[in-house]
Structures are given as structure tokens and as C-alpha cells.
Amino acid sequence: MGVKRTIRRVAKFILASQPKSNIQVNIGQIHCGHILSNKNIVITGGSSGIGLAMAKKFISEGATILITGRNEKKLIAAVNQLGHDKCRYIIADVCDVEHVSEFLQHAKDELGGRIDCLVSNAGVSLHENNYENVTIEGFDKQFNTKFRAGYFLGKAFLEMKTREKDVVDAQLLYISSETGDQVYDIPYGMTNAAINSLVGAFSRRVYKRGIRVNAIAPGVTLTDMTKDYAEASDGNMYRDCASERLFLPEEIAEVACFMLSDASKCISGEIIHCNAGNHLKTFWE
């Protein structure tokens, strides 16, 4: 073993033995008030977490929102928080792909006859850690909720928009994950890898028709889905990873707002990572 490599390993050991860093996060926000004016946006899984944060941000920038989910109590609570004048809800299970066209038509009617943007956000992770803990039932649940549902929902949305005349800037935005660009033997990471591939293919099919398709890939974000292994109850956002921190739903919402705005018309087929480069690996690590 070379001297330099030995020194690096000793340094890593010493650093790993030190107390955790205390990392605080201030959310940088763009306050315009109208960059999403007159846009009708549907968000699946919009009653909590990243979905709810996006709904808040989009409404603050002039959009009208429709959120979906299976739990009516949570949906009503979210609408009460967001405001009935700018937010509506539909009880819907994204896994019911056989009726996805009817769902979109229902959402379209609720929004006055037009959907400009669809955010496919619903997903689930069972946190199995490795392949030894993966069950057939758990595998199917995660693939059905994230990829199968996302695929047929996106397909139906693109087909609906291509039937419409004078489509100027319709958008399909997936909420993926940094796990989609890492090697994984558990379903959550694999579903996001599949979503990432789909984004590029969909975009190549429909961009010339005035429809953009992108994905946002957050790092570990403080939501109900991550509460079993990520917490910052003391306000410390530190996490032992390359980015050294957790992320907030509001941070992801800021990026999503930009992606759905007219300012990003030149972006399509892209996976926008919101994880400070945590998915990247340098040769010395």
C-alpha cells in the first residue's frame, strides 16, 4: 500500500471519529408572485411531504392546484391549509392504471377544462437495505406505485395533450430520487432508475409537440417516508454522506417551480439532481 493511500485512510479514520458537524439550512427562495400564473397543475401524492411543499410554492406563484391521494382526511387538511380558492383534491389511487384516463378527465374538469402540468410524485419505499430483505409483495408494491403507475399516468397525460390543439408548453414532471443514478439491489432505487430512463425517451417523443418531460432527483429529504432513518429534531441537518446534509421539501419545491415555469423552456429530458452531488463518486473515494 502506498504512503499517500495510507495517509488518506488514517485521515478518514480520524475525521470519522470526530463529533458530527452541526449543519443548518436556510431555504433560498425566489419570490415573484406570478411565474406560474394561469397554470393548472396536478400533483399526485400532494397531501404531505414534497408534494405538499410543491403545492404551496406553486400556489404562491399564481398556479391553481389539484392534489390527489388515497387518504381523504389528509387531502382535506391539505386543502384547508392551502386554500379552497386555489386548491382542489381528488381521492385516487395511482396504482389503478386501468382508469387513469378517467382520472385525468376528472382532474381536467375540476380545473376548468385544462391541465397544463402533471407532477408524478407518488411513491413508496420499504427501506429493505439489501436484496436479502426484499419480498415479492414488497417488490410489486414499490414498482406498482412508482414506476407502473408513473408510466401509465405519464402515457395517458401525453396522449391527452397530443390530442389537444395549440399546446404551447405542457409539462410532465417526475419526482425521482438520487437512488436512480446509483447501483441498487432493492426496488426503490430500481424504480427510480427506470423512471429516469423513461424521462429521456418520453421527452424525445413529444418535445416537438410542445410538451416537456423532466425529473427532479432529490437526496434524502425530511418527509414521512424517510422518518424511520432521517431526523433533524434538534435542527441539525447533518447526515453522513457526500453532501453531509439532509434536504427539506421546500428546497425541492423551489426547483420544481422553476422547472414548471416558462423560464426553463429549453430544458427537457433531464434529471435535475437536488442533492449537492451526492450521487457522484470521485475516483479517490
Side-chain angles (χ1 to χ4, degrees), residues 19-236:
K20 287 183 178 180
S21 301
N22 193 322
I23 295 177
Q24 305 296 315
V25 175
N26 295 315
I27 301 169
Q29 295 178 304
I30 298 173
H31 293 293
C32 182
H34 56 78
I35 61 175
L36 297 181
S37 288
N38 301 317
K39 287 187 183 289
N40 292 339
I41 303 174
V42 175
I43 307 172
T44 66
S47 63
S48 62
I50 294 174
L52 180 59
M54 287 190 294
K56 287 181 183 178
K57 181 61 183 180
F58 299 165
I59 288 172
S60 76
E61 289 297 336
T64 299
I65 305 298
L66 185 143
I67 59 174
T68 78
R70 293 177 298 176
N71 188 321
E72 186 173 20
K73 186 176 179 180
K74 289 180 66 176
L75 289 167
I76 292 174
V79 171
N80 288 338
Q81 179 182 349
L82 296 167
H84 293 261
D85 58 328
K86 281 292 186 177
C87 185
R88 299 158 178 75
Y89 77 88
I90 293 177
I91 304 170
D93 184 351
V94 294
C95 294
D96 183 16
V97 296
E98 289 81 5
H99 300 97
V100 67
S101 294
E102 292 94 319
F103 157 71
L104 285 176
Q105 186 59 52
H106 186 185
K108 187 175 178 180
D109 293 340
E110 287 287 324
L111 290 170
R114 192 185 77 251
I115 301 174
D116 299 299
C117 310
L118 170 64
V119 182
S120 181
N121 169 66
V124 62
S125 174
L126 299 183
H127 311 302
E128 299 99 332
N129 189 43
N130 65 55
Y131 72 92
E132 294 177 338
N133 302 315
V134 175
T135 65
I136 294 174
E137 180 184 8
F139 184 99
D140 288 344
K141 180 178 181 179
Q142 291 171 91
F143 261 86
N144 287 346
T145 305
K146 187 73 175 185
F147 183 66
R148 185 170 181 264
Y151 181 92
F152 285 102
L153 181 63
K155 175 179 182 291
F157 177 71
L158 297 181
E159 290 171 343
M160 180 183 75
K161 297 307 293 185
T162 54
R163 288 193 300 267
E164 296 176 0
K165 296 180 180 179
D166 303 322
V167 175
V168 177
D169 188 31
Q171 291 166 73
L172 172 58
L173 180 67
Y174 286 96
I175 305 303
S176 177
S177 162
E178 65 180 1
T179 61
D181 280 317
Q182 299 167 337
V183 290
Y184 265 77
D185 57 357
I186 58 176
Y188 183 71
M190 293 186 289
T191 61
N192 287 300
I195 287 289
N196 291 356
S197 178
L198 180 65
V199 164
F202 271 173
S203 176
R204 291 296 296 269
R205 299 285 189 191
V206 300
Y207 183 76
K208 292 180 180 179
R209 303 177 195 174
I211 309 170
R212 295 193 286 126
V213 185
N214 290 292
I216 290 176
V220 177
T221 305
L222 289 175
T223 66
D224 289 343
M225 193 167 72
T226 62
K227 64 185 178 183
D228 290 339
Y229 66 94
E231 61 174 285
S233 55
D234 59 354
N236 186 5

Side-chain angles (χ1 to χ4, degrees), residues 229-249:
Y229 66 94
E231 61 174 285
S233 55
D234 59 354
N236 186 5
M237 297 290 289
Y238 176 82
R239 180 171 180 260
D240 186 15
C241 62
S243 62
E244 286 199 330
R245 77 175 184 92
L246 301 165
F247 298 89
L248 293 170

